[in-house]
Amino acid sequence: MNSNYTKENVIKNDFLFVSYKHDNVDTTVTDTIEYLLDAGIRLWYDADLGTGNNWAKIAESLIKHENCRGVLFFNSADSFLSEPVYRERTFTLEKIETCQRRKDKPFVLFPVHIGKPSTMLLLRDVFASLPTDDKVIEQKFPFRFLKSITDLFISDTLYCYADPDNAEEYKQRLVDDIKKALPAVVDPQALSAKEIAKTFGESSSTVSIGICKGKIAANVPEYLRVKEGRIEHLGATYLVSEGEAYQTQRISWRPVYCTDDEYVLLSENIVDTRNGGEDLKGWLRDRFAAVAFSKDEREAILEIRLLTEADVAMSKDPELLIFSGCDSHWWLDARGAGALQKVVKKDGSVYHGGYNFRAKKSGVRPVIRVKKEFISAINGN
């Protein structure tokens, strides 16, 4: 199981509590949990507990936690006969009553009936497994167990059952139900990290889009040096800026995060050194866009801008701001102290005090939002 999904990490955001009979865990439970985690569903399950923990108190505190938005019950005949699972049902009933009384955010149940399509069939298996002795029946399956089941698992809470013949179908249906009923328990950062790893590789490699200045060119005729911008000469591409011609190099972009439709990419290259502020933003949107990208690239790019602190928060890459061989600080789209603008220093740390963007030049490392299908086509996915 994913060790990142511990109590301390998960409860910081909305999450689902997972209830199952621990002594009889099979591949149905473990595979489904892994599938949900891969789909970005925040779950709390007891993989990180030691033998000395008071489980009832922990379960109660988690189910009644303000960020717990529902419970995923893996139901079997054994779970219906389990005292710990019974307690989890009672905690859930109490939480439902509290949410209704306070008119709080919705609290949703997601029962997964292992191998059976209905609660009644599971109950039939419970009774079939019990001895005929009345006293033993009351000991193993007291009426309070049955009442908690009937009170909790009413018809409109039965989402799916673990059909062994259609494992992928039921797991995906469960994911879809959770996303529809409780979108807040979906972790977009986890989904983004998984998508990036799939498209770019586990090492989060880069993709080349557009061009920027390279070395100063020595073989460009003087009459071409007055043509500001992108020029083609003798089969080569050059950039002319302030009367100086430069050889071009492809811009490499590293993934920051992705959404359903787009990738957000950060330039590996310092494409220019300029003052910050609104003039820089306008230059990126207009002049830089026209010179750096081809027509097809411009059609695929949704936005060109600077990196924001929100971008950094969305990224799962702890080394997002670190670039080997970087010899220049570069602008963030964030205000520093007073009217100053924040920058990222050469070592990848953020200088929160900032520089005067009107008086001081700093490196420009653009961010682009690009259509996902364009990146997939480039990477051959």
Side-chain angles (χ1 to χ4, degrees):
M1 297 287 182
N2 188 332
S3 60
N4 291 327
Y5 283 80
T6 60
K7 174 183 177 182
E8 290 75 16
N9 289 332
V10 173
I11 65 176
K12 295 176 182 178
N13 299 284
D14 288 354
F15 68 94
L16 288 179
F17 179 88
V18 180
S19 170
Y20 55 92
K21 180 70 167 69
H22 306 142
D23 294 340
N24 294 311
V25 174
D26 61 6
T27 55
T28 299
V29 175
T30 56
D31 287 354
T32 304
I33 289 177
E34 289 288 359
Y35 193 92
L36 295 177
L37 292 176
D38 284 345
I41 308 298
R42 294 192 197 92
L43 303 176
W44 199 102
Y45 54 91
D46 64 344
D48 63 322
L49 282 181
T51 56
N53 291 282
N54 186 329
W55 173 243
K57 288 184 178 180
I58 292 174
E60 181 176 19
S61 68
L62 287 165
I63 293 173
K64 294 182 178 180
H65 193 281
E66 62 180 354
N67 288 336
C68 183
R69 302 312 325 147
V71 179
L72 173 64
F73 285 96
F74 285 96
N75 299 318
S76 64
D78 288 333
S79 75
F80 281 177
L81 292 168
S82 166
E83 176 74 28
V85 176
Y86 158 73
R87 292 190 179 187
E88 290 161 14
R89 289 196 296 268
T90 61
F91 300 148
T92 300
L93 286 166
E94 292 170 4
K95 178 67 174 278
I96 291 173
E97 181 182 354
T98 299
C99 290
Q100 291 174 342
R101 184 177 67 254
R102 295 178 179 176
K103 296 182 179 179
D104 203 351
K105 294 183 291 186
F107 191 81
V108 184
L109 309 180
F110 299 94
V112 176
H113 290 354
I114 299 176
K116 300 292 179 180
S118 74
T119 307
M120 295 306 296
L121 287 177
L122 286 177
L123 287 172
R124 183 192 66 182
D125 287 354
V126 170
F127 288 113
S129 68
L130 294 172
T132 56
D133 187 290
D134 289 346
K135 291 183 178 179
V136 178
I137 291 175
E138 285 296 321
Q139 290 174 352
K140 289 194 171 184
F141 192 58
F143 180 75
R144 60 189 171 90
F145 279 25
L146 179 60
K147 185 177 187 305
S148 71
I149 294 169
T150 55
D151 285 350
L152 193 61
F153 300 124
I154 56 177
S155 60
D156 60 354
T157 66
L158 301 183
Y159 280 76
C160 70
Y161 73 101
D163 182 357
D165 296 327
N166 297 284
E168 292 300 311
E169 180 181 338
Y170 91 75
K171 286 186 286 190
Q172 186 56 51
R173 183 154 45 89
L174 181 59
V175 167
D176 294 340
D177 286 340
I178 292 172
K179 288 183 176 180
K180 181 178 180 180
L182 289 176
V185 303
V186 181
D187 182 359
Q189 291 177 312
L191 286 175
S192 174
K194 179 184 175 184
E195 182 83 14
I196 286 172
K198 179 181 177 182
T199 303
F200 289 83
E202 293 296 335
S203 61
S204 294
S205 58
T206 61
V207 61
S208 295
I209 305 174
I211 60 172
C212 65
K213 293 178 184 177
K215 297 179 180 179
I216 294 178
N219 58 341
V220 178
E222 193 64 33
Y223 75 92
L224 290 178
R225 294 177 184 273
V226 299
K227 295 185 177 182
E228 193 80 6
R230 182 174 183 160
I231 62 172
E232 306 289 336
H233 179 63
L234 299 178
T237 303
Y238 300 92
L239 285 178
V240 177
S241 177
E242 298 178 352
E244 191 66 77
Y246 299 84
Q247 295 176 354
T248 58
Q249 64 183 99
R250 293 286 280 166
I251 304 175
S252 294
W253 304 83
R254 65 173 59 174
V256 181
Y257 64 90
C258 67
T259 65
D260 290 341
D261 303 314
E262 64 190 52
Y263 279 100
V264 176
L265 308 175
L266 174 64
S267 172
E268 294 261 327
N269 306 77
I270 297 288
V271 301
D272 208 332
T273 302
R274 304 177 67 89
N275 298 109
E278 292 303 319
D279 289 344
L280 171 57
K281 295 178 184 179
W283 176 82
L284 282 170
R285 290 191 302 265
D286 302 326
R287 184 63 176 167
F288 174 73
V291 170
F293 303 107
S294 67
K295 181 176 181 294
D296 289 343
E297 289 169 340
R298 287 196 296 271
E299 289 177 352
I301 294 172
L302 304 172
E303 183 184 23
I304 306 172
R305 55 176 172 79
L306 296 178
L307 188 73
T308 68
E309 292 179 312
D311 293 328
V312 178
M314 278 295 295
S315 175
K316 282 287 188 178
D317 184 357
E319 298 185 349
L320 176 69
L321 303 181
I322 300 174
F323 294 86
S324 60
C326 179
D327 58 359
S328 173
H329 41 72
W330 46 281
W331 295 114
L332 276 181
D333 187 7
R335 290 186 61 175
L340 306 183
Q341 184 170 339
K342 293 182 182 180
V343 295
V344 180
K345 297 194 289 186
K346 299 175 185 179
D347 62 1
S349 62
V350 176
Y351 177 44
H352 294 277
Y355 293 153
N356 185 334
F357 62 84
R358 295 186 182 91
K360 188 163 184 176
K361 293 183 178 182
S362 187
V364 181
R365 198 184 293 278
V367 162
I368 54 175
R369 291 173 42 232
V370 191
K371 294 177 182 177
K372 185 174 285 186
E373 62 265 24
F374 183 76
I375 300 299
S376 297
I378 291 176
N379 285 353
N381 294 326

